């Protein structure tokens, strides 16, 4: 059996995994994100040496930022060294293996296309709720990256404004997982210690402000999904991120969609919403799919 060494670069942790060409994750580990390219290289080198006993045919990387075909990462992220050095070129040169590298939200969408909730879809959107709101668009089973590699960057969408005060609020500012807890930083019992799960827990105990923040989160998410449906008209819209693990998440979201559609009866198409199948392994699985599509398309089994 042949395997890919897969890497998911995050702002807090880097995940490393071995994935077979059939999409099976064999083993995985997580380390704190290195602060320099030298530390990063050491981490990868140690993992590579341990995995040499397997038949490795390539390396695939999920990365923050706008990733070009040549491996340059544009824009800004919480991992400065990926913008300063070409990680794709570095690993290819060091190990003599073909390397694939793609934006992390795009990789999440690719995992759903390959083995997840969008296997039967030609066109779908994927929304990732985390520190911000990321996402990806897939049309005719291909990523839509856009002219500036910003296709699917839903978090930049302006969903509220006060033009008199020149205030414009983005989806990330209003409807991300971090916004959910940030609105409560002056509220007991957690103050600065609010987290997504705590908001859900306290809202269930009738904490008034927690309930308000949760209502704002779901209403913003419903509006964003509605807009995507009528701009792109995908078959399905997937929602991912750790927050979707909360019980009754999809039910709450569908209730907000009910209200929105009742307020806009002219809108006859109801978005088909599903939760992402993959959670913390999405980027690893998706980047493996991307590698196979680029280098071994004949072996790819969708």
């Amino acid at each position: 059996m042949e395997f890919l060494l897969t890497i998911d670069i995050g702002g807090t942790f880097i995940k490393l995994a071995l994935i077979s060409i059939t999409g099976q994750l064999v083993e995985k580990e997580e380390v704190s994100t290195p602060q320099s390219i030298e530390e990063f290289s050491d981490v990868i080198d140690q993992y590579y040496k341990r995995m040499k006993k397997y038949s490795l045919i390539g390396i695939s990387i999920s990365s923050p930022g706008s990733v070009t075909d040549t491996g340059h990462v544009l824009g800004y992220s919480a991992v400065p060294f990926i913008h300063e050095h070409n990680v794709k070129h570095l690993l290819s040169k060091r190990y003599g293996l073909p390397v694939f590298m793609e934006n992390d939200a795009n990789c999440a969408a690719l995992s759903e296309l390959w083995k997840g909730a969008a296997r039967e879809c030609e066109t779908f959107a994927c929304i990732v709720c985390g520190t911000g709101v990321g996402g990806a668009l897939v049309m005719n089973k291909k990523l839509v990256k856009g002219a500036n590699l910003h296709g699917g960057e839903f978090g930049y969408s302006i969903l509220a404004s006060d033009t008199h005060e020149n205030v414009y609020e983005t989806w990330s500012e209003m409807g991300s997982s971090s916004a959910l807890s940030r609105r409560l930083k002056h509220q007991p019992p957690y103050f600065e210690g609010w987290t997504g799960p705590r908001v859900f827990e306290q809202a269930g105990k009738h904490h008034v402000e927690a309930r308000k923040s949760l209502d704002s989160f779901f209403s913003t998410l419903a509006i964003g999904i509605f807009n995507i449906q009528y701009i792109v008209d995908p078959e399905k819209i997937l929602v991912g991120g750790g927050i979707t693990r909360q019980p009754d998440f999809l039910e709450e979201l569908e209730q907000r969609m009910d209200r929105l559609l009742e307020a806009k009866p002219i809108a006859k198409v109801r978005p088909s919403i599903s939760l992402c199948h993959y959670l913390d392994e999405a980027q690893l699985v998706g980047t493996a799919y991307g590698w196979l599509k680029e280098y071994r398309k004949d072996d790819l089994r969708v």
Side-chain angles (χ1 to χ4, degrees):
M1 178 69 74
E2 296 173 313
F3 297 91
L4 294 168
L5 192 161
T6 62
I7 306 163
D8 176 25
I9 303 173
T12 306
F13 295 102
I14 285 184
K15 296 172 186 172
L16 304 121
L18 203 66
I19 295 182
S20 73
I21 60 171
T22 59
Q24 300 302 310
L25 192 148
V26 176
E27 74 99 56
K28 181 180 73 171
E29 68 179 59
E30 191 175 272
V31 300
S32 296
T33 301
Q35 299 302 303
S36 69
I37 191 65
E38 290 79 16
E39 291 178 16
F40 173 81
S41 298
D42 287 344
V43 167
I44 304 305
D45 204 44
Q46 291 172 24
Y47 190 75
Y48 175 82
K49 287 175 180 176
R50 293 199 298 276
M51 297 301 112
K52 281 183 68 175
K53 59 185 178 182
Y54 296 97
S55 177
L56 297 177
I57 59 172
I59 298 172
S60 54
I61 308 165
S62 164
S63 168
S66 301
V67 182
T68 69
D69 291 340
T70 58
H72 293 92
V73 183
L74 311 179
Y76 170 81
S77 76
V79 191
F81 68 80
I82 63 173
H83 304 277
E84 300 162 357
H85 303 273
N86 191 315
V87 174
K88 179 179 181 179
H89 177 72
L90 184 152
L91 297 186
S92 177
K93 184 177 180 181
R94 174 169 292 191
Y95 302 114
L97 293 171
V99 178
F100 172 82
M101 189 169 176
E102 182 57 89
N103 166 267
D104 47 10
N106 286 344
C107 287
L110 291 177
S111 72
E112 298 299 325
L113 174 65
W114 189 21
K115 298 284 185 178
R119 289 186 65 181
E120 307 302 322
C121 294
E122 292 285 331
T123 301
F124 69 95
C126 182
I127 301 164
V128 182
C129 296
T131 304
V133 175
L137 286 172
V138 173
M139 302 188 75
N140 301 319
K141 292 190 177 292
K142 295 181 180 180
L143 285 170
V144 178
K145 297 186 182 183
N148 301 289
L149 301 178
H150 275 57
E153 289 286 0
F154 306 127
Y156 286 97
S157 303
I158 304 294
L159 295 189
S161 65
D162 182 339
T163 55
H164 295 292
E165 297 295 329
N166 199 33
V167 174
Y168 302 90
E169 292 190 88
T170 67
W171 189 347
S172 285
E173 290 168 329
M174 297 176 60
S176 62
S177 300
S178 60
L180 176 64
S181 54
R182 187 173 61 248
R183 284 189 286 265
L184 299 169
K185 64 182 180 180
H186 300 301
Q187 296 293 326
Y190 301 114
F191 298 98
E192 295 283 353
W194 284 94
T195 62
R198 285 174 171 175
V199 178
F200 276 84
E201 178 188 357
Q202 290 298 316
K205 295 178 180 178
H206 309 292
H207 189 295
V208 174
E209 295 303 319
R211 185 70 256 175
K212 285 182 181 178
S213 184
L214 206 57
D215 285 341
S216 179
F217 169 82
F218 278 113
S219 295
T220 302
L221 182 55
I223 291 169
I225 289 173
F226 180 92
N227 290 342
I228 292 170
Q229 184 65 51
Y230 280 89
I231 294 171
V232 182
D233 196 23
E235 298 164 63
K236 187 178 286 190
I237 298 177
L238 308 180
V239 184
I243 195 170
T244 62
R245 293 190 181 107
Q246 296 302 314
D248 304 322
F249 182 96
L250 189 57
E251 182 181 345
E252 286 238 28
L253 176 55
E254 293 285 12
Q255 288 174 2
R256 298 318 187 286
M257 188 58 65
D258 288 340
R259 296 179 194 174
L260 198 163
L261 293 173
E262 287 171 9
K264 295 295 178 186
I266 193 173
K268 303 300 183 184
V269 178
R270 184 187 183 92
S272 175
I273 308 169
S274 298
L275 299 183
C276 289
H277 173 74
Y278 290 102
L279 293 171
D280 60 340
E281 296 175 357
Q283 285 81 2
L284 295 167
V285 174
T287 194
Y289 173 89
W291 189 97
L292 288 166
K293 194 166 181 63
E294 182 165 329
Y295 295 109
R296 293 275 291 271
K297 194 171 183 178
D298 290 344
D299 294 331
L300 189 59
R301 298 170 178 85
V302 179

